Amino acid sequence: MLQAVQEIRKTLGEDSVSTDDEILLAHGYSEWSTVNVDRLPVAVVFPQNTEEVSKIAKICSKYSVPIIPFSGGSSVEGHFSAPYGGVSVDFSYMNRIVEFHAEDMDVQVQPGLSWMDLNKEIEHSGLFFPVDPGPSATIDISQAQIGGMVGTNCSGTNAVRYGTMKDWVVNLTVVLADGTIVKTKRRPRKSSAGYNLNSLFVGSEGTLGLVTEATLKLAPLPTHTGVAVVAFPTIAVAAKMAVEVIQKGVVVGAIEILDDVMMKVINTIGATGRTWKEQPTLFIKFTGDEEMVEHSINRVRCIAEKYGSPHMEFEIDKEKQEELWSARKEALWSMLALRKSGNDTWTTDIAVPLSRIAELIELSKKDLAQTGLFGSILGHVGDGNFHQVILYDGDAERVRVEKCAKDMVYRALEMEGTCTGEHGVGLGKIESLQAELGDVPITIMKNIKRSLDPQWLMNPGKIFHRE
Amino acid sequence: MLQAVQEIRKTLGEDSVSTDDEILLAHGYSEWSTVNVDRLPVAVVFPQNTEEVSKIAKICSKYSVPIIPFSGGSSVEGHFSAPYGGVSVDFSYMNRIVEFHAEDMDVQVQPGLSWMDLNKEIEHSGLFFPVDPGPSATIDISQAQIGGMVGTNCSGTNAVRYGTMKDWVVNLTVVLADGTIVKTKRRPRKSSAGYNLNSLFVGSEGTLGLVTEATLKLAPLPTHTGVAVVAFPTIAVAAKMAVEVIQKGVVVGAIEILDDVMMKVINTIGATGRTWKEQPTLFIKFTGDEEMVEHSINRVRCIAEKYGSPHMEFEIDKEKQEELWSARKEALWSMLALRKSGNDTWTTDIAVPLSRIAELIELSKKDLAQTGLFGSILGHVGDGNFHQVILYDGDAERVRVEKCAKDMVYRALEMEGTCTGEHGVGLGKIESLQAELGDVPITIMKNIKRSLDPQWLMNPGKIFHRE
């Protein structure tokens, strides 16, 4: 491995490679991850362009050294850890917009660009990129970047309206393990030309290649928005109302659920500047033009009344909207702020068919209560997808958290759901994926991997074990 | 091959296999196809369920016999032809809804079910499946069925609002070449669990496996619809207006373009019961609830006025709407009705970035005029996707048509477009795909195929050549 690092250093220049302990740690360990390993990458390389990435891959391939892509580092299932050592390829210096075609509603970007920076840069055009993983950070944590977002097929609150990462990729430039550069498609918004290599690389978690460029579709930026907040006596009723909103085809920009614990945490931390009912609560965003927003709010109001909602607020004024949405925005950070020094966090996500989500949330809350641990639920309920965030301290509690999180996954699978709606498999959910799909689909995945990466160098140990 | 057929007959029963000449011809030749081959399948097999399909594959695999899936047979690029002989697997008897989950907004179906029959059967639920390839038939031609729709990643007029086939598949049951049965996913609407095998099989044109079941997402059936028809002096202006409607984010159900030739043909044939302006014309469909439809019509009206449209009509009354939409519905059939006995039709499709479609349509019309052949253009202009339909007679004209169609593809590629937006590659566009993507992506596709189908038995000769 050190020989490979030396050759990369010689080829790309001294400044392109770091073996600094802190840098290695930041690229092989994450406090947000459900799982970490004892090993770290032997070096971190900072390429400037696709050609340099190709050179790195060629050298690693020559010396059979694992290659681990890194962009953003905000994933939670150990996606960028280095169980077999190897070289971490950090895309920090590849963070530009390459070409912006406003008239075609697409943009070509490098993998190190964060989706929030992308949207800032193109705001003037009246267009935006709608995939929004992770809430806006109010504390110092990396923003999700395009490369990682491709890797995990991520999504976020906007998914209920706009879909997930795979729906927004027009083409990808990918460097394979042997250094071959491949461009998956040209630039049409629609195509039936050959196998869908875009959707193969999207969600493959860096195990098939290194994404060095992506062309992304953009959507017209809504001119108006609105927010509704509706509190309920039980979480099951809240979830049922959310599902009905989707089933009725009401156009919503987002529909999110927070449980009573989460609402209480938000009050305790006080980051939102107001006090909330400590009840299960739906946060609904409306986007479109003025008439569409007003119309959708009215439709949701009718549905909410049917559910006998005791407390609901609607806002279309910009500032008041932000105040209403602030609880959703601050939810995760408020939860994290509760951690005592040395405490850890376990964040997991699952997705199930719409009709099962109310039941699954209720059962998961009961399971959690039985463990005696402190945790809360928030989720993209309109997609049948939710997260559980649990705080814990030390190894004994960790065992209980892990069991609780795995039980939730197995319940989701029993309900024909998936072990991950948007976080991906990484290191943390390899056994869950096996339980979800069984041997045959995973053998197909491994065969595909082998056909692209015969030496098994690309991000090894993620999604599935080699043997 | 005959040994394999005999063994299939023995295993599945006498009635499950046909070697009747007419049946063989109907499964190996299509008058709608741009290309046909001299060979036919040696037998057509009619399985009843996934297990029978698996048995067929095992037998074919044992004797190294090609396997060609057939459902609907409405494709136009020779997708179900048998250049290497082999067995055609016809899914006519696998045409049922297996499970319908209205509350989850999904449905599990067999591959021989047509999308129109599916929608008829579930209409009572207030849900529908929005992918709509091919106009409604007024003449006797097969309707597209789910298996083939998965194969070509098809779409249609609704794609501008709802996306293409790949966006609606929740999971697939697929029989691989060796008879292995694989289920790609469970039943969540959203998932990041491992490689996206759904999107690998969708668009793979039967070259990776036989789809024997599909779970599809459904959408709420719009309660209201409206139609607008706007005629323009030039096709470039019509296309530009359509693109502006999309760029402004106006919610339309469909936005279709017909050129002046097509409008004239519709008048000549007279299937619509009214006389149309013989000018390039946009047909726009609005879907939603009453307020949304009215609002979108108003927004389109404003945009149309900006383009100085001399003639526009809007209807929300159901019968009058159908009259307005009838020209779009009858376009292809009117064109086909013009054929003299013995004449052939060439139907092709391309897609380009939105900003280039007006120019490409104009250039393509000029090219066509120079050939002296009779053809017209219609297209899903909101996706940058359009079709050219050309009539011809005999081999000499066929050579000119082929050149004209290929020139259009190469122009599309120069504009960063694709050789097919929704028809697929089949036999007809193998060279176009090669020109579009180059060697590397196609080598990856072949490696993936080899990893799933090492004997190269599944629909061989489609999308790419073996060597």
Side-chain angles (χ1 to χ4, degrees):
Chain A
M1 290 200 192
L2 296 176
Q3 242 177 325
V5 173
Q6 213 164 10
E7 197 164 324
I8 293 169
R9 211 187 285 270
K10 222 171 90 190
T11 311
L12 266 63
E14 202 62 42
D15 294 348
S16 299
V17 181
S18 172
T19 51
D20 178 276
D21 282 347
E22 259 182 59
I23 302 273
L24 294 183
L25 187 68
H27 288 76
Y29 174 87
S30 166
E31 63 166 318
W32 310 105
S33 192
T34 61
V35 56
N36 278 291
V37 293
D38 287 337
R39 226 166 147 175
L40 292 177
V42 297
V44 181
V45 191
F46 299 87
Q48 306 270 354
N49 52 50
T50 300
E51 288 64 36
E52 287 195 355
V53 176
S54 171
K55 284 176 190 163
I56 295 166
K58 276 181 187 154
I59 295 167
C60 287
S61 186
K62 182 172 143 192
Y63 294 101
S64 292
V65 171
I67 308 165
I68 304 148
F70 183 99
S71 61
S74 59
S75 61
V76 297
E77 295 291 356
H79 287 94
F80 56 85
S81 67
Y84 303 100
V87 169
S88 172
V89 181
D90 184 317
F91 289 98
S92 297
Y93 296 141
M94 291 175 67
N95 63 349
R96 282 183 312 107
I97 291 180
V98 181
E99 280 183 22
F100 176 36
H101 310 103
E103 70 288 7
D104 296 322
M105 300 169 70
D106 68 44
V107 66
Q108 189 181 349
V109 301
Q110 292 183 314
L113 183 65
S114 84
W115 65 273
M116 296 184 79
D117 288 342
L118 167 60
N119 280 336
K120 254 179 261 157
E121 284 196 50
I122 63 173
E123 195 180 2
H124 63 89
S125 69
L127 296 168
F128 82 120
F129 180 65
V131 184
D132 64 334
S136 308
T138 49
I139 59 171
D140 184 29
I141 184 175
S142 295
Q143 290 298 331
Q145 296 172 359
I146 300 300
M149 291 166 70
V150 167
T152 57
N153 184 27
C154 76
S155 46
T157 68
N158 290 339
V160 70
R161 169 90 174 259
Y162 292 101
T164 64
M165 196 67 192
K166 69 177 164 40
D167 304 317
W168 293 87
V169 172
V170 175
N171 65 50
L172 296 172
T173 303
V174 182
V175 171
L176 302 184
D178 65 359
T180 304
I181 298 166
V182 54
K183 184 150 184 184
T184 55
K185 285 194 182 283
R186 297 199 182 201
R187 206 158 56 77
R189 282 173 84 84
K190 180 174 155 184
S191 172
S192 281
Y195 298 173
N196 186 347
L197 297 184
N198 287 344
S199 286
L200 181 64
F201 287 112
V202 175
S204 66
E205 305 188 3
T207 62
L208 297 177
L210 299 133
V211 172
T212 62
E213 269 176 20
T215 303
L216 306 170
K217 293 184 195 182
L218 300 171
L221 200 56
T223 54
H224 289 73
T225 55
V227 169
V229 174
V230 201
F232 293 86
T234 71
I235 196 145
V237 178
K240 272 183 194 149
M241 175 181 144
V243 169
E244 183 165 337
V245 168
I246 302 305
Q247 286 166 338
K248 290 262 165 74
V250 182
V251 179
V252 293
I255 184 159
E256 302 278 306
I257 200 165
L258 271 62
D259 73 353
D260 53 332
V261 178
M262 193 62 100
M263 297 308 295
K264 194 172 175 173
V265 166
I266 291 163
N267 281 341
T268 306
I269 298 300
T272 68
R274 61 171 274 178
T275 307
W276 303 82
K277 296 245 170 201
E278 292 176 3
Q279 290 185 335
T281 305
L282 287 183
F283 291 79
I284 308 172
K285 201 176 257 183
F286 304 89
T287 60
D289 56 27
E290 197 172 355
E291 289 84 351
M292 276 173 65
V293 167
E294 276 179 13
H295 176 57
S296 295
I297 290 181
N298 285 336
R299 290 195 65 190
V300 166
R301 199 192 308 262
C302 289
I303 295 173
E305 277 163 12
K306 214 182 89 182
Y307 281 83
S309 160
H311 186 76
M312 58 181 160
E313 296 181 69
F314 298 87
E315 287 297 349
I316 51 170
D317 172 82
K318 201 167 162 19
E319 259 179 46
K320 287 182 185 162
Q321 263 185 63
E322 278 177 16
E323 192 190 306
L324 266 191
W325 193 255
S326 65
R328 172 62 188 91
K329 195 171 161 185
E330 299 297 336
L332 181 58
W333 311 114
S334 298
M335 193 71 191
L336 298 179
L338 270 192
R339 288 186 303 172
K340 299 187 193 90
S341 162
N343 273 18
D344 278 309
T345 319
W346 189 295
T347 310
T348 189
D349 91 308
I350 53 86
V352 289
L354 287 178
S355 67
R356 307 305 298 272
I357 190 158
E359 188 189 350
L360 181 58
I361 292 179
E362 278 210 318
L363 289 170
S364 302
K365 282 181 69 65
K366 270 186 205 154
D367 282 353
L368 182 65
Q370 277 178 356
T371 64
L373 292 163
F374 188 73
S376 60
I377 276 174
L378 78 167
H380 316 307
V381 64
D383 293 316
N385 177 211
F386 72 90
H387 305 287
Q388 200 168 37
V389 186
I390 310 174
L391 305 185
Y392 68 97
D393 187 14
D395 286 346
E397 282 195 7
R398 187 185 155 85
V399 172
R400 278 149 64 200
V401 173
E402 189 165 356
K403 183 177 179 313
C404 183
K406 292 208 165 150
D407 286 349
M408 187 170 86
V409 165
Y410 287 102
R411 276 197 202 282
L413 298 186
E414 277 167 21
M415 293 177 178
E416 297 183 73
T418 178
C419 67
T420 171
E422 55 181 23
H423 288 176
V425 176
L427 278 179
K429 285 190 167 165
I430 292 178
E431 280 70 35
S432 303
L433 184 72
Q434 173 70 38
E436 179 175 338
L437 299 180
D439 287 337
V440 178
I442 293 174
T443 302
I444 293 177
M445 293 178 198
K446 287 184 187 179
N447 287 343
I448 291 170
K449 177 172 172 68
R450 206 168 279 118
S451 79
L452 271 78
D453 174 19
Q455 289 192 81
W456 211 273
L457 298 180
M458 290 303 318
N459 208 6
K462 316 300 161 63
I463 305 183
F464 35 63
H465 299 299
R466 184 162 185 177
E467 297 312 330
Chain B
M1 288 198 194
L2 295 176
Q3 242 176 325
V5 174
Q6 215 164 7
E7 197 164 324
I8 293 170
R9 213 187 284 270
K10 223 173 87 189
T11 311
L12 266 62
E14 202 63 41
D15 294 349
S16 299
V17 181
S18 172
T19 51
D20 178 276
D21 283 348
E22 261 182 56
I23 302 272
L24 295 183
L25 187 68
H27 287 76
Y29 174 87
S30 166
E31 63 166 318
W32 310 106
S33 192
T34 60
V35 56
N36 278 291
V37 293
D38 287 337
R39 227 165 147 176
L40 292 177
V42 297
V44 181
V45 190
F46 299 87
Q48 306 269 354
N49 52 51
T50 299
E51 288 64 37
E52 288 195 355
V53 176
S54 171
K55 284 176 189 164
I56 295 166
K58 277 181 187 152
I59 296 168
C60 287
S61 185
K62 182 173 143 190
Y63 294 101
S64 291
V65 172
I67 309 164
I68 305 148
F70 183 99
S71 61
S74 59
S75 61
V76 297
E77 295 292 356
H79 287 94
F80 56 86
S81 67
Y84 303 100
V87 169
S88 173
V89 181
D90 184 318
F91 290 97
S92 297
Y93 297 142
M94 291 176 66
N95 62 351
R96 282 184 312 107
I97 290 180
V98 181
E99 278 183 22
F100 176 35
H101 310 103
E103 69 288 6
D104 297 322
M105 301 170 70
D106 67 46
V107 65
Q108 189 182 350
V109 300
Q110 292 183 313
L113 183 65
S114 84
W115 65 272
M116 297 183 79
D117 287 343
L118 168 60
N119 280 335
K120 254 179 261 157
E121 284 197 50
I122 63 172
E123 196 181 2
H124 62 90
S125 69
L127 296 168
F128 82 119
F129 180 65
V131 184
D132 64 333
S136 308
T138 49
I139 59 172
D140 184 29
I141 184 176
S142 294
Q143 290 299 332
Q145 296 172 359
I146 300 299
M149 291 167 70
V150 167
T152 57
N153 184 27
C154 77
S155 45
T157 69
N158 291 339
V160 71
R161 169 87 173 261
Y162 292 101
T164 65
M165 197 66 191
K166 69 176 163 41
D167 304 317
W168 293 86
V169 171
V170 175
N171 63 50
L172 296 171
T173 303
V174 182
V175 171
L176 302 184
D178 65 359
T180 304
I181 298 166
V182 54
K183 184 151 183 183
T184 55
K185 285 193 183 284
R186 296 198 183 202
R187 208 159 55 77
R189 283 173 83 84
K190 179 173 155 184
S191 172
S192 283
Y195 300 174
N196 187 346
L197 298 183
N198 286 344
S199 287
L200 181 64
F201 287 112
V202 174
S204 65
E205 304 188 4
T207 63
L208 297 177
L210 299 133
V211 172
T212 62
E213 268 177 22
T215 303
L216 306 170
K217 293 184 196 183
L218 300 171
L221 201 55
T223 54
H224 288 73
T225 55
V227 170
V229 174
V230 201
F232 293 86
T234 71
I235 196 145
V237 178
K240 272 184 194 150
M241 175 181 144
V243 169
E244 183 165 338
V245 168
I246 302 305
Q247 287 166 338
K248 289 263 165 74
V250 182
V251 180
V252 293
I255 185 159
E256 302 279 306
I257 201 166
L258 272 63
D259 73 352
D260 52 333
V261 178
M262 193 62 97
M263 296 309 294
K264 193 171 178 175
V265 166
I266 292 163
N267 281 342
T268 306
I269 298 300
T272 67
R274 59 171 276 178
T275 306
W276 303 84
K277 296 245 170 203
E278 294 177 0
Q279 289 185 338
T281 305
L282 287 183
F283 291 78
I284 308 172
K285 201 176 258 182
F286 304 89
T287 61
D289 56 27
E290 196 172 354
E291 289 83 353
M292 276 173 67
V293 166
E294 277 179 14
H295 176 57
S296 295
I297 289 180
N298 285 336
R299 290 195 64 189
V300 166
R301 201 192 307 264
C302 289
I303 294 173
E305 277 163 13
K306 214 182 88 182
Y307 281 82
S309 161
H311 186 77
M312 59 182 159
E313 295 182 70
F314 298 87
E315 286 297 349
I316 53 168
D317 172 81
K318 199 166 164 20
E319 260 180 46
K320 286 183 185 160
Q321 263 185 62
E322 279 176 16
E323 191 190 308
L324 264 191
W325 193 255
S326 65
R328 173 61 189 90
K329 195 172 160 185
E330 298 298 336
L332 181 60
W333 312 113
S334 297
M335 192 71 191
L336 298 178
L338 270 191
R339 288 187 303 172
K340 298 187 194 90
S341 163
N343 274 20
D344 279 309
T345 319
W346 190 293
T347 310
T348 190
D349 92 307
I350 52 86
V352 289
L354 287 178
S355 67
R356 307 304 298 271
I357 191 157
E359 188 188 352
L360 181 58
I361 292 179
E362 278 210 318
L363 289 170
S364 302
K365 282 182 69 65
K366 272 187 203 153
D367 282 353
L368 181 65
Q370 277 178 356
T371 65
L373 292 163
F374 188 73
S376 59
I377 276 174
L378 79 168
H380 316 306
V381 63
D383 292 317
N385 177 211
F386 72 90
H387 305 288
Q388 199 168 37
V389 186
I390 311 174
L391 305 185
Y392 67 98
D393 188 13
D395 285 347
E397 283 196 5
R398 187 186 155 85
V399 172
R400 278 150 62 199
V401 172
E402 189 166 354
K403 183 177 179 312
C404 182
K406 291 207 165 152
D407 285 350
M408 188 170 86
V409 165
Y410 286 102
R411 275 197 203 284
L413 298 186
E414 277 167 21
M415 293 177 178
E416 297 183 75
T418 177
C419 66
T420 171
E422 55 181 22
H423 289 175
V425 176
L427 279 179
K429 285 189 167 165
I430 292 179
E431 280 69 37
S432 303
L433 183 72
Q434 173 71 39
E436 178 175 338
L437 299 180
D439 287 337
V440 178
I442 293 174
T443 302
I444 292 177
M445 292 179 198
K446 287 184 188 180
N447 288 343
I448 291 170
K449 177 173 171 67
R450 207 168 278 119
S451 80
L452 270 77
D453 174 19
Q455 289 193 82
W456 211 273
L457 298 180
M458 290 304 317
N459 207 8
K462 314 301 161 62
I463 304 183
F464 35 64
H465 299 299
R466 185 162 184 176
E467 297 312 330

